[in-house]
Amino acid sequence: MMRTRPLKVALLGCGVVGSEVARIMTTHADDLAARIGAPVELAGVAVRRPDRVREGIDQALVTTDATALVKRGDIDVVVEVIGGIEPARTLITTAFEHGASVVSANKALLAQDGAVLHAAAEEHDKDLYYEAAVAGAIPLIRPLRESLAGDKINRVMGIVNGTTNFILDAMDSTGAGYQEALDEATALGYAEADPTADVEGFDAAAKAAILAGIAFHTRVRLDDVYREGMTEVTAADFASAKEMGCTIKLLAICERAEDGASVTARVHPAMIPLSHPLASVRGAYNAVFVESDAAGQLMFYGPGAGGSPTASAVLGDLVAVCRNRLSGTTGPGESAYAALPVSPMGDVVTRYHISLDVADKPGVLAQVATVFAEHGVSIDTVRQQGKDGEASLVVVTHRASDAALTGTVEALRKLDTVRGVASIMRVEGE
């Protein structure tokens, strides 16, 4: 039997995502009510510019006083889609204090202060859901928190930023340089006027922190995530990748150590074999590859950003939270019981592709090989091309730690026969 009194929802933010949330709540009102067991009512919309026309939203619901809205006391669920750290953090904790559960899409805040928000939700016996914070419409948070709760996850690796994937895909498929591909992404609306958060990996790093925390039942903050952007990736890197049967993606990688005693979280460009499922992810799409003991290998794929896809994830959380309100329960909260240490990047073990500019004369290869051997880095393949006294030397290693590789490169730079290190790129997915 359906309850007639509606559940009241406060919407914080009414931009691209917020306006889509409001639209779907209105156009799908009957279906949402049937699925939840009670109608949902948009009780207020907090915005910064109240005079802006918002199609389909009753102007009487619009307010600039977000604090008063979340303090009303009759609000059942607060949907936060304003982003940033403040005032979002204070508004969310205030919502808990005044009896509301929260649905958020705020990856930056969750990556920085997720533990604080979870603690506040638990203290007031309220829900904190955030499916939309990672990979847009792709169901990922709930499968990790619930569907795989009985399994042991060992690795989460994925493309979690559509802008960077569009740029790298364009460079791969057309041979364009980085700036040319970025300009195209900007013209098509995939890249912001200031793309720093995307191309320097900040956006992906926040998502990696959230994913690692859930996957490994360990608190992982943004500061724990190693981050390397993709602005230095060149057409020459793609040419080298193709020679190896690879392509290049900006990856978020969260791993459990082989001995299970620690975890790592990192974001950086990497070569991956064309045979790997992530290699076929094109355009602005996202995909996340999960490896676990019992389930094996799983891949989640779909649109990772945009108003409608993100709103879809928000509404999914809204339905779940409203159902919990009706039944007087809460869903899963933070699970950080494992409390594993987060290892530094120097401990990460992977393969490397190193391109060196060297003198084209006898003995160079022997010198370079000696340096690798002295630092305990085993060479898999070497390719050398020379002309007019100069040469390029491409070395692909077996698996080695980042610290060992760093020491190797520092020693290589000191050789008289090495003119420079053209590029260093990790090789993943093998």
Side-chain angles (χ1 to χ4, degrees):
M1 183 176 178
M2 182 178 294
R3 192 182 82 165
T4 57
R5 183 174 68 81
L7 292 160
K8 294 188 177 183
V9 178
L11 180 61
L12 307 183
C14 198
V16 174
V17 176
S19 60
E20 273 297 289
V21 170
R23 182 190 68 78
I24 295 172
M25 285 184 63
T26 301
T27 59
H28 295 181
D30 291 342
D31 285 338
L32 290 173
R35 294 165 190 171
I36 292 168
V40 287
E41 173 189 316
L42 188 58
V45 182
V47 299
R48 286 183 297 176
R49 296 185 292 274
D51 298 332
R52 180 179 172 185
V53 177
R54 293 172 174 84
E55 186 177 350
I57 296 178
D58 184 352
Q59 189 63 25
L61 298 177
V62 176
T63 178
T64 57
D65 194 343
T67 301
L69 178 59
V70 300
K71 283 184 174 181
R72 275 177 37 174
D74 64 335
I75 299 297
D76 293 288
V77 184
V78 169
V79 175
E80 183 272 311
V81 288
I82 56 178
I85 306 302
E86 288 290 359
R89 176 172 50 199
T90 299
L91 290 170
I92 289 174
T93 55
T94 302
F96 291 141
E97 292 166 1
H98 289 78
S101 289
V102 173
V103 172
S104 176
N106 196 331
K107 55 186 171 288
L109 177 58
L110 288 158
Q112 177 173 305
D113 290 317
V116 173
L117 298 182
H118 276 293
E122 182 177 359
E123 178 185 355
H124 297 284
D125 197 26
K126 296 296 179 287
D127 275 323
L128 172 63
Y129 276 48
Y130 43 91
E131 185 68 64
V134 180
I138 304 172
L140 185 59
I141 301 298
R142 194 170 291 115
L144 290 177
R145 286 211 299 188
E146 300 177 32
S147 303
L148 296 172
D151 205 344
K152 179 184 178 183
I153 298 174
N154 297 311
R155 196 173 203 232
V156 179
M157 180 171 77
I159 299 162
V160 295
N161 184 280
T163 299
T164 57
N165 199 57
F166 180 90
I167 293 169
L168 292 173
D169 185 41
M171 293 176 69
D172 186 24
S173 59
T174 69
Y178 166 76
Q179 189 60 51
E180 184 181 353
L182 173 59
D183 291 343
E184 181 184 4
T186 304
L188 292 173
Y190 291 121
E192 301 287 347
D194 180 1
T196 302
D198 294 324
V199 300
E200 293 294 353
F202 291 101
D203 175 85
K207 296 170 181 176
I210 295 170
L211 291 174
I214 296 170
F216 306 132
H217 304 279
T218 291
R219 287 178 179 170
V220 179
R221 300 181 74 251
L222 182 59
D223 291 345
D224 295 322
V225 181
Y226 171 84
R227 177 194 55 78
E228 184 181 320
M230 47 162 277
T231 57
E232 300 301 317
V233 177
T234 66
D237 290 326
F238 273 100
S240 294
K242 287 181 179 179
E243 290 180 358
M244 291 179 58
C246 293
T247 188
I248 298 172
K249 300 290 186 183
L250 184 74
L251 298 178
I253 304 172
C254 312
E255 290 181 307
R256 187 189 300 269
E258 290 185 6
D259 62 4
S262 64
V263 298
T264 59
R266 51 197 165 102
V267 169
H268 54 72
M271 294 181 180
I272 57 173
L274 295 176
S275 58
H276 194 283
L278 290 176
S280 62
V281 179
R282 309 300 297 271
Y285 275 73
N286 284 191
V288 177
F289 200 72
V290 178
E291 300 176 27
S292 69
D293 276 1
Q297 297 179 334
L298 307 170
M299 191 167 90
F300 301 83
Y301 170 83
S308 293
T310 306
S312 171
V314 171
L315 267 295
D317 278 352
L318 179 62
V319 169
V321 170
C322 285
R323 287 171 175 170
N324 290 343
R325 296 282 288 196
L326 289 180
S327 63
T329 62
T330 57
E334 182 187 34
S335 176
Y337 73 89
L340 297 171
V342 182
S343 295
M345 187 61 187
D347 292 348
V348 170
V349 176
T350 189
R351 298 179 67 204
Y352 290 87
H353 176 283
I354 306 102
S355 180
L356 305 171
D357 294 326
V358 300
D360 186 15
K361 62 182 185 180
V364 173
L365 180 56
Q367 285 184 325
V368 168
T370 297
V371 170
F372 276 88
E374 288 174 345
H375 288 81
V377 179
S378 175
I379 294 175
D380 182 17
T381 62
V382 177
R383 186 175 70 256
Q384 184 173 6
Q385 294 177 322
K387 185 178 180 181
D388 299 329
E390 297 296 327
S392 63
L393 190 65
V394 175
V395 178
V396 179
T397 75
H398 288 291
R399 289 171 61 82
S401 72
D402 188 83
L405 196 283
T406 299
T408 302
V409 172
E410 290 176 355
L412 288 171
R413 294 183 192 276
K414 297 177 181 178
L415 294 178
D416 292 338
T417 52
V418 175
R419 311 300 192 208
V421 180
S423 70
I424 303 171
M425 191 164 295
R426 297 167 183 88
V427 182
E428 302 284 351
E430 294 186 321

